[in-house]
Amino acid sequence: MNPLCAVACSVMYAHLIGLRARRQRSTAHNYKSIMTFISNNATTPSGPTGRGWRFAAFALAIVLVLFGLPLVGGGIYLIILGGSWYYALAGLGLIVTAVELARQRMRALWIYLVVWGLTVIWAFWEVGFDWWGQVPRLVAPTVVLVLILIVLPALRRPQART
Amino acid sequence: MIFKPTLAAALLLSAGPAFAQDAPAQPEQPQVRPAAAQPEVGSDWPFYGGSEGAQRYSPLDQITPENVANLERAFVYPTRDLPEPGARYSPETTPLKVGRSLVMCSAKNILISIDAATGEENWRHDPGVAAQAIPHAAACRGVSTYTEPSLPDGAQCKTRVIEGTLDARLIAVDLETGQPCADFGDNGAVDLWQGIGQKVPGWYAVTAPPTIVRGIVVTGAQVKDGQNRDAPSGVIRGYDAVTGQLVWAWDHGNPDNSQGPAEGETYTRGTSNSWTAGVGDEQLGYVYVPLGTPAIDYYGTGRIDAMNEYSNSLVALDVTTGQPVWHFQATRRDVWDYDLGSQPTLLDYPNAQGDNVPAIMLPTKQGDIYIFDRRTGEPLTPIGEVEAPKDNSVEPEWLADTQPVSLWHTLRKEPKQEKDMWGFTPIDQMMCRIQFRWSNYQGYLTPPSVDKPWIMYPSYNGGSDWGSVSIDPVRRLIIANYNDLPNYDQLIPREEADEMGVKPIYAPHDNESAHKPAGAGRGEGGGSVYPQAEEPYAVRVNAGWRNWGTGVPCAAPPYGGIRAIDLDTGETVWDEPLGTARRNGPFGIKSHIPFTIGLPNNGGSVTTAGGLTFIGAATDNLFRAIDVQTGEVLWQDVLPNGGQANPISYEVDGEQYVLIGASGHSFMETGQGDEIVAYRLKK
């Protein structure tokens, strides 16, 4: 396992999310649409108040809540059983991020960067350079970071609101 | 767990118990033959384990690390023995090579001879095994040959091929023609159900090659686990290789049965069986039999004393009498299904005085490797004792207080921790961490529990399983592939199990069609339940501890590895994960990721004088050549199906071949096929 795999696994994870969300479509199609999405973003940025971006940020917020809730619930149970505190805390972080995303606040990015950074520190503290061991710890949280970066055009700085 | 290593070699020395020697008068006692010269491994592969001592070592050196990249397929031979829909096959085929021929048995016991250079079929003999006889899965690991010195050259069955079948027969055919040996039993067949009791197809099946020592064919049988204490006996029997007549029976539950049970009686029911290959020493006249756990694996209360004495033991039997000479019990009062599955290996090894003595090596499912003086059973490597935990056991009074452990070498890794839990996302990883914290776990000797699941690590797949180890006697190395994954098990109260409708193999199964014979469905695989009928508990076994929903293992990789061990010091020389992620992924999706991950594996290796270890075994369906000095994979080929079989090496017309059965394995989920693949260097 090496950084190459981190890329490969991220792609695979993106496939999985695609498969779950839209089973009727082919994986290849999903992959293509993600790539188109990214390139559109790079070349023809629409306005930060664009409807599509607002929808994307909101959809991502819902996805994060769907991941965050079981993490909080299961994580609390894990704490009760004497296990790791990471999952409950990470789940909380995801939900807070989701709320800010839904409100289209740039704060969502900064909060999630903290969650992601702490996740990386925790992950290396737990398993070091065991790259297979890092798959569940780093891949999904990093994919989430990439998705938040993609919907950045939808986010506003607090002063922009007034 | 508290490890208290105490050099307790003497304690573990056990002389054979004083069995009554006053056997009844034996009319027409078949002749006991003197030791005969045994064929050598080299051009031929005359024994299942290569040499008489089963070292899985070939002295051939044409294929080397330098030229192994030039290997190409010489031929692919299909046995044409394929499963009917719904049937489970795990052929595990390892041929012998004798003269110009390869002789083998297919999954359902068709005996086959093919040309060793071309794969062209010489003959086949189908003993007609019914689908109902298939136990967990159809398997026939190998055959044995015997040459009778007293028969004239050219006589029918001068050299015969002998196999045990799934429907519990010994079959003998002529090596040259495949014709049944008229002199052997009933026209070439001996019925092993004799004295076993009620005939339930699939419950009593032979899957290993018999061990033939001094003209005595020695066999045990596989008894399907966890059905009922009242199960077919684990009796070990010796038959005359020419006449097929019973010479002796060793029923450790009742020594009086040495010439068979009395009319209307059976050999002692439910005793430990020997489903794997034994090994023989023609000179000493001993056969070494690895025994398993008694019929009920996960609950021990009520087992008779003789079972407690012999279960999970390596037993040296005098092949002329069938009497035990010495035995070593690798697990006391086993409640984990830690059968002795690995074929032991004979070798010369220095004793305390530094003299090389005839020795025997025993790898176990717990991963421990032991070496004994094979004449006496005296340990040649240090053995310690560990205290066995009893917390949460349903039978703490019955469990053994301590267990033996090898202080010389073990394949077993450190106990699992919560952070070793895995998944593809934080969510499934968290589910596994919850399961970890929820379970009873105090290391590898955690006893079965009913209040919560318990973690069994290493699992019943080992450590070392039936593929065993190969030995390089020149470079002084042991090459051991091993499994490294836990099971997640829980006892189920009888009442609950009955409500679940868990039924043993002998019960009528209403809804099962002809395509779902005994052995299909429950019993093995992911989450399965063993009925343990009439005991207080059934048991649920989650093999490989697969997570709910995703099927992803709860423990992080690697799940298997291969290791070289210094034969003189017991120290690890190299240790590498075995297998890539190409066929693995969540929800059964093949990821095609070519990175090494370390996979569950079944089947062994062959190590060659050329400096290579060849092995399939892993569930990535690759066949690979590994540099025996470094562990580096130098060459690999994608097999048609899983290579869960022991590969061999042989020579025809000055060319070295390497061969593996690549027919897949139902339990390992590596496809179902019938291919035998041979390789040689490009010209």
Side-chain angles (χ1 to χ4, degrees), chain B residues 412-481:
Chain B
R412 184 172 58 250
K413 305 276 180 80
E414 292 297 309
K416 290 291 180 200
Q417 302 175 44
E418 187 199 315
K419 69 174 186 180
D420 298 323
M421 297 301 102
W422 204 59
F424 271 81
T425 72
I427 293 180
D428 53 336
Q429 186 187 35
M430 178 189 69
M431 283 164 61
C432 291
R433 292 177 91 128
I434 290 171
Q435 289 172 54
F436 179 90
R437 288 286 172 184
W438 173 246
S439 63
N440 292 318
Y441 184 49
Q442 299 165 276
Y444 78 106
L445 295 169
T446 307
S449 52
V450 68
D451 60 326
K452 291 176 182 176
W454 87 97
I455 297 166
M456 179 177 157
Y457 172 67
S459 79
Y460 62 32
N461 256 15
S464 183
D465 201 351
W466 54 265
S468 199
V469 300
S470 61
I471 285 187
D472 186 330
V474 181
R475 296 177 184 85
R476 305 291 294 167
L477 292 172
I478 304 166
I479 307 297
N481 57 298

Side-chain angles (χ1 to χ4, degrees), chain A residues 2 5 12-13 16 19-20 67 70-71 74-75 77-78 81-84 87 122 126-127 132-133 135-137 140, chain B residues 418-430 433-434 437-438 550 556-557 581 586-587 589 591 593 595-597:
Chain A
N2 55 35
C5 181
M12 191 172 73
Y13 187 72
L16 275 180
L19 278 177
R20 273 176 169 172
F67 278 84
L71 280 176
Y77 186 47
L78 183 58
L81 291 174
S84 169
Y87 299 86
W122 164 79
E126 271 211 322
V127 295
W132 282 112
V135 167
R137 292 173 171 86
Chain B
E418 187 199 315
K419 69 174 186 180
D420 298 323
M421 297 301 102
W422 204 59
F424 271 81
T425 72
I427 293 180
D428 53 336
Q429 186 187 35
M430 178 189 69
R433 292 177 91 128
I434 290 171
R437 288 286 172 184
W438 173 246
T550 61
F587 309 104
I589 300 162
S591 71
I593 298 174
F595 300 110
T596 298
I597 182 167

Side-chain angles (χ1 to χ4, degrees), chain A residues 16-120:
Chain A
L16 275 180
I17 289 179
L19 278 177
R20 273 176 169 172
R22 297 187 287 187
R23 274 167 194 271
Q24 72 275 25
R25 298 225 186 159
S26 76
T27 326
H29 183 90
N30 269 307
Y31 184 62
K32 203 177 156 194
S33 53
I34 288 172
M35 295 316 286
T36 316
F37 194 44
I38 291 171
S39 62
N40 282 350
N41 185 26
T43 53
T44 57
S46 40
T49 52
R51 233 185 192 174
W53 286 117
R54 281 211 302 271
F55 176 77
F58 194 73
L60 182 57
I62 290 174
V63 170
L64 295 195
V65 169
L66 288 180
F67 278 84
L69 284 178
L71 280 176
V72 171
I76 289 171
Y77 186 47
L78 183 58
I79 291 170
I80 292 169
L81 291 174
S84 169
W85 283 55
Y86 168 78
Y87 299 86
L89 294 175
L92 269 179
L94 272 183
I95 289 169
V96 173
T97 304
V99 168
E100 296 301 318
L101 263 182
R103 297 172 65 198
Q104 296 166 54
R105 298 298 170 79
M106 189 56 87
R107 208 184 284 149
L109 174 66
W110 308 127
I111 292 169
Y112 189 74
L113 273 176
V114 171
V115 172
W116 183 82
L118 291 175
T119 295
V120 171

Side-chain angles (χ1 to χ4, degrees), chain B residues 312 366 368 508 555 587 640 672:
Chain B
N312 307 75
Q366 293 104 315
D368 291 307
F587 309 104
Q672 307 238 296

Side-chain angles (χ1 to χ4, degrees), chain B residues 269-333:
Chain B
R269 305 272 293 170
T271 51
S272 294
N273 65 75
S274 183
W275 54 263
T276 193
V279 65
D281 183 329
E282 182 80 7
Q283 285 306 317
L284 278 175
Y286 290 172
V287 57
Y288 301 92
V289 180
L291 291 181
T293 312
I296 298 298
D297 294 314
Y298 299 95
Y299 187 73
T301 302
R303 285 182 195 160
I304 61 173
D305 290 346
M307 291 184 196
N308 296 337
E309 176 72 24
Y310 280 105
S311 62
N312 307 75
S313 289
L314 176 64
V315 186
L317 295 177
D318 183 330
V319 80
T320 59
T321 63
Q323 294 297 306
V325 182
W326 60 266
H327 72 280
F328 167 73
Q329 191 169 43
T331 311
R332 300 171 188 146
R333 302 194 168 208

